[in-house]
Amino acid sequence: MPITDETQHFTALSALLTGFDEAALEATGLAEVYRAVAERRLGAERYGLLLGASRAEWDADAVDGELRDAAREVAFLWYTGSWPGTPPALVSARARAEALVWKAAGLTAPAADPGGYGSWAGPSTAAAGRSGR
């Protein structure tokens, strides 16, 4: 998906909300996808308010309850790859694998590594190569 000015603005706001820099968020490849999800789920009015809040408002912690809730939903989206709710709505398998929670913990999402689910059960390909198999 193409990166637009609106996506760049959304990514800058997301960096403020998540604590990850814009480059790290863009590296997930999900900035435009998450922007579209946030716009759809928040609705045009709430989404516009969220993007329209100034940096000074965020820095001064002067955002109201409605805006704060929207910000939490966007942060939840980035950290989990899901939109909050009961149950949360997973955006995609890729979103789960790229969720910031794994990066914050220094981990890889379970079953997201190239070896896939159960890859730990047998010897690694590196170990197999050393043993002459």
Side-chain angles (χ1 to χ4, degrees):
M1 292 188 164
I3 300 296
T4 63
D5 287 343
E6 188 175 346
T7 302
Q8 290 175 334
H9 189 68
F10 176 78
T11 305
L13 171 65
S14 296
L16 183 64
L17 298 177
T18 63
F20 281 80
D21 64 27
E22 292 178 49
L25 298 179
E26 289 169 2
T28 67
L30 294 164
E32 174 55 26
V33 171
Y34 286 173
R35 188 211 58 76
V37 168
E39 183 177 24
R40 187 178 77 248
R41 293 293 189 133
L42 292 172
E45 186 176 337
R46 284 179 72 208
Y47 177 76
L49 288 172
L50 184 67
L51 260 58
S54 71
R55 174 75 188 233
E57 288 177 277
W58 292 109
D59 289 345
D61 200 25
V63 294
D64 67 10
E66 179 80 18
L67 196 54
R68 186 179 309 276
D69 289 345
R72 284 185 183 130
E73 290 167 329
V74 169
F76 186 94
L77 175 63
W78 279 103
Y79 271 88
T80 67
S82 303
W83 190 259
T86 306
L90 182 63
V91 172
S92 67
R94 179 170 179 212
R96 181 186 162 279
E98 293 291 336
L100 296 181
V101 68
W102 308 116
K103 293 169 184 10
L107 301 171
T108 301
D113 216 355
Y117 181 81
S119 62
W120 60 87
S124 70
T125 54
R130 283 194 307 269
S131 66
R133 292 188 206 176

